[in-house]
Amino acid sequence: QVQLVESGGGSVQTGGSLTLSCVASGYTARGRCMAWFRQAPGKEREAVVSVNGGDYKDYANFVQGRFTISKDNADNLLYLRMNALKPEDTAMYYCAASRFAPCTGDFDYWGQGTQVTVS
């Protein structure tokens, strides 16, 4: 039913930038929580940033102003603009979506991930 497909990952130099995209199908982004997570090999998955149904954005501290989330409600698209990338940003990045407006509880839908490698 619902599918989230990420794209935009790749290999980038330290200090470089990438923009990740998440296309949601069978899903209404408007008024619902969506988020970006990441997971490095051998490490736990961690939240990068979320945006709730009221467009409140909650960034992880490690982003330190470098990343920006945006949501296109008309086209059910989620973006993550990543600037000043560091090697520690290297991870598989996942798009996640909730059926609900608050960014609480479990996320209902997940993408397959897109790899970001910073060196």
Side-chain angles (χ1 to χ4, degrees), residues 51-98:
V51 52
N52 72 10
D55 286 336
Y56 175 80
K57 301 170 179 67
D58 187 11
Y59 293 90
N61 289 334
F62 59 73
V63 172
Q64 298 183 2
R66 299 178 297 125
F67 294 2
T68 303
I69 192 172
S70 60
K71 182 153 63 79
D72 182 343
N73 288 322
D75 295 322
N76 297 313
L77 299 171
L78 189 73
Y79 300 98
L80 183 65
R81 176 70 177 274
M82 305 184 295
N83 296 319
L85 284 161
K86 308 173 181 179
E88 50 262 48
D89 294 319
T90 296
M92 187 73 73
Y93 283 72
Y94 298 92
C95 177
S98 172

Side-chain angles (χ1 to χ4, degrees), residues 38-40 42-46:
R38 70 186 188 186
Q39 186 170 27
K43 299 183 179 179
E44 295 183 353
R45 184 179 62 199
E46 61 184 354

Side-chain angles (χ1 to χ4, degrees), residues 26-49:
Y27 176 81
T28 300
R30 188 183 306 277
R32 295 180 178 179
C33 171
M34 299 186 74
W36 289 98
F37 287 77
R38 70 186 188 186
Q39 186 170 27
K43 299 183 179 179
E44 295 183 353
R45 184 179 62 199
E46 61 184 354
V48 177
V49 59

